[in-house]
Amino acid sequence: MAEILSLSKARKAKARASKERTAAENRIKFGRTKAERQLEKAQETLEARRIDAHLRTPDGSEG
């Protein structure tokens, strides 16, 4: 025989699980220390400078 379950409880449990999953994603996305944020920004700046150093100028000359 099948187990009897309340649809409202099942719906609420599903909503709680969804919210917990979203919270876990946000903890990963936003839960970084100041040092980690500064390190990432410095790495992005360095990468951008390296890319810009290899770009050609619009007039066709290098430099």
Side-chain angles (χ1 to χ4, degrees):
M1 192 172 200
E3 206 177 306
I4 299 173
L5 63 120
S6 171
L7 293 178
S8 63
K9 287 184 180 182
R11 186 175 55 247
K12 288 178 183 180
K14 183 178 177 183
R16 275 194 298 273
S18 175
K19 285 183 181 183
E20 177 56 35
R21 191 171 39 253
T22 303
E25 291 171 3
N26 285 340
R27 280 193 295 272
I28 292 169
K29 188 174 181 182
F30 298 110
R32 297 180 299 155
T33 64
K34 185 174 183 179
E36 290 172 336
R37 288 193 304 266
Q38 288 175 337
L39 176 63
E40 184 178 347
K41 184 176 180 181
Q43 288 173 340
E44 289 174 358
T45 303
L46 182 61
E47 290 173 9
R49 288 178 61 202
R50 285 182 179 161
I51 290 172
D52 289 342
H54 292 283
L55 291 178
R56 299 178 91 176
T57 57
D59 62 359
S61 64
E62 303 251 344

